[in-house]
Amino acid sequence: MPTVQFSRIPPAAQPPPPVAPPSPAGRKRRPLPWILTGLLALLLLGGLLYAVAPLRNPPPAPTAELTLPASMTIPGKAPKLPWPRTGQAMISIDGLGTMGTAGDTKPQPIASVTKMMTAYVILTAHPLGVGEHGPELTVSQAAADAFHGEQARGESLVAVQAGEKITERQALQALLLPSANNIARILATWDAGSIEAFVEKMNNTAKELGMTGTRYTDPSGLDPQTVSTVRDQVILAGKAMALPAFAEISKQKQATIPVAGTVTNYNELLGKDGVVGIKTGSTDEAGGCFVFAAVYTVGGRKVTVVGAVFGAPGNNTPVQLDNVFASTRSLLRATKASLAVHTLVKAGQQVATVHGPLDTGTTLHAAQDVQVVGWPGLEVKLDAQLGGVPARLAAGAEHGRLTVNLGDDAPVETALRAGAALEPPSTWDRIRHHG
């Protein structure tokens, strides 16, 4: 049987697996483009935020700084006044201050100058207008009976009688012009019920006014234990003369009152050397005393001089008063000669410096002269109202004022004007300076 032989047939050849191409030598993968873009955006945003940071808030407001001193002294040699050789003396200019003093500062008897406080207490408790008479007082039997004893002691008096009616104004005229001691007691009792209660009011008033060297023991000044100083009485004189009725009465040369008739003011200087008041006094213990006020016109401005001279020598009232009047007259004439108009600040003079943000700024200058009445050596205080300075100020624009306050008189002042224009810093300057 034929043999069938089978031969092995090799399997069909399989295709080789694909081979990846080799990577180029040293080549790295690149970051995705969006990462670079994001980083760049962040950098730009940070720079923008940094640049605009100073623009988020407005720049600080400008500030002004005074370049003049807070006070100025009038140049020149201080005047030498002819002070009396004895006693105490003082000259003060209303609104300006003390021109000078002489003598010690110890409290001393002031005689009938005391009646200035008596009148002041009465007028503050019972005010009168100019020309008004006010309420009536009735002279008691006791006051009338005391007259002869007071007269025997040589007191300064006016005649009175029981039941007499006298107005407040007439009583003050009798008190201040012929310096009637009995009227001082009548007024004190009328006001406070007793002399002791009235004296307490006098001392309380002195304390309120800062009259630290003063002690009253009676309303007339006859008691030498009533003492004061020229300083204290000048303080009181300024307050008293501010009362229209007091100022009106104290400058009268004569007045007519019931029973006594026409009375004359002891102040012989009234109407002379500018004198408009105030009160004389004289006793053996006090000597001649005089508190005075005078008004002058200096450079078209009214100036009130208030002063006092205590302790003028003399053996009796006429001599004492003659001596105190002579001293006062010399002092007033020298005072008037020393007063003049002085220019403290000239128009165009720099008064303040304005500091703005980022080194911006300008200056402020006086628009007019600042002139005051005074004397060489007087220190005058300046008051600058600079206020809030705006961010923008044109050259020559008005801002602020410079003022000199002179007591009760109208202040002396001038407007202030800018020098160069003040402009706020630009946006670019604010960004540039931020870095």
Side-chain angles (χ1 to χ4, degrees):
M1 179 173 202
T3 300
V4 178
Q5 293 183 344
F6 295 90
S7 60
R8 187 177 181 180
I9 299 173
Q14 299 295 324
V19 178
S23 299
R27 185 175 178 182
K28 298 181 179 180
R29 293 186 177 183
R30 295 179 180 175
L32 296 176
W34 65 269
I35 297 178
L36 289 176
T37 302
L39 288 175
L40 181 60
L42 287 175
L43 289 175
L44 291 174
L45 178 61
L48 180 61
L49 291 175
Y50 179 80
V52 301
L55 304 180
R56 288 181 299 191
N57 298 313
T63 59
E65 177 186 8
L66 187 68
T67 53
L68 289 178
S71 63
M72 301 181 73
T73 300
I74 295 176
K77 187 176 181 181
K80 290 185 177 181
L81 300 182
W83 300 109
R85 296 180 180 179
T86 60
Q88 301 179 5
M90 180 177 182
I91 292 288
S92 179
I93 313 298
D94 185 35
L96 294 179
T98 301
M99 196 168 186
T101 60
D104 61 48
T105 58
K106 296 179 181 179
Q108 66 178 58
I110 58 173
S112 288
V113 166
T114 300
K115 296 181 176 79
M116 187 166 60
M117 176 60 89
T118 301
Y120 182 77
V121 172
I122 291 294
L123 281 170
T124 52
H126 312 276
L128 289 180
V130 173
E132 291 182 352
H133 276 269
E136 285 187 338
L137 294 71
T138 301
V139 177
S140 68
Q141 185 66 54
D145 292 343
F147 178 79
H148 295 293
E150 296 164 341
Q151 191 176 42
R153 290 192 296 271
E155 292 191 40
S156 177
L157 307 164
V158 294
V160 295
Q161 62 185 26
E164 173 189 348
K165 301 292 185 180
I166 182 171
T167 66
E168 178 186 345
R169 176 185 174 85
Q170 291 168 336
L172 290 170
Q173 289 172 321
L175 178 78
L176 295 175
L177 277 60
S179 199
N181 289 354
N182 56 342
I183 296 298
R185 300 182 188 108
I186 291 171
L187 279 167
T189 304
W190 170 70
D191 172 77
S194 69
I195 290 177
E196 293 75 17
F198 188 80
V199 169
E200 184 177 358
K201 290 181 69 173
M202 295 171 73
N203 284 311
N204 288 339
T205 301
K207 184 177 180 181
E208 291 171 0
L209 297 180
M211 300 167 61
T212 56
T214 298
R215 178 174 176 265
Y216 293 104
T217 60
D218 73 322
S220 69
L222 181 65
D223 185 356
Q225 298 303 311
T226 287
V227 295
S228 188
T229 64
V230 288
R231 171 194 170 274
D232 283 3
Q233 293 303 310
V234 166
I235 291 174
L236 175 59
K239 295 292 185 179
M241 290 298 281
L243 302 176
F246 182 97
E248 177 202 12
I249 293 171
S250 70
K251 70 178 180 181
Q252 293 177 337
K253 293 185 178 182
Q254 290 183 333
T256 301
I257 59 176
V259 179
T262 299
V263 295
T264 303
N265 199 325
Y266 274 134
N267 182 359
E268 295 181 3
L269 290 189
L270 276 175
K272 304 173 184 177
D273 297 301
V275 174
V276 294
I278 303 176
K279 189 69 190 77
T280 61
S282 63
T283 61
D284 292 342
E285 297 85 358
C289 300
F290 186 31
V291 178
F292 51 88
V295 178
Y296 303 122
T297 299
V298 181
R301 306 175 190 179
K302 286 188 176 181
V303 179
T304 300
V305 178
V306 179
V309 177
F310 291 171
N315 296 324
N316 53 50
T317 289
V319 175
Q320 291 166 346
L321 292 183
D322 283 346
N323 287 333
V324 79
F325 290 149
S327 295
T328 300
R329 186 181 295 112
S330 296
L331 282 172
L332 286 174
R333 290 176 179 176
T335 297
K336 182 180 180 182
S338 300
L339 296 173
V341 177
H342 298 269
T343 301
L344 289 180
V345 180
K346 295 183 178 180
Q349 183 175 342
Q350 182 176 335
V351 172
T353 300
V354 176
H355 303 282
L358 304 183
D359 298 327
T360 60
T362 185
T363 52
L364 298 176
H365 302 259
Q368 298 173 324
D369 289 345
V370 176
Q371 296 181 324
V372 299
V373 174
W375 60 91
L378 172 66
E379 184 179 2
V380 180
K381 294 183 178 180
L382 304 179
D383 181 21
Q385 301 90 41
L386 301 178
V389 182
R392 180 176 278 102
L393 196 61
E398 182 176 316
H399 179 81
R401 303 192 75 79
L402 182 67
T403 304
V404 177
N405 292 302
L406 304 174
D408 295 331
D409 296 334
V412 178
E413 60 182 4
T414 180
L416 303 180
R417 299 188 184 280
L422 174 67
E423 297 287 344
S426 66
T427 301
W428 169 243
D429 283 338
R430 292 170 64 187
I431 294 174
R432 182 166 56 89
H433 279 77
H434 181 64

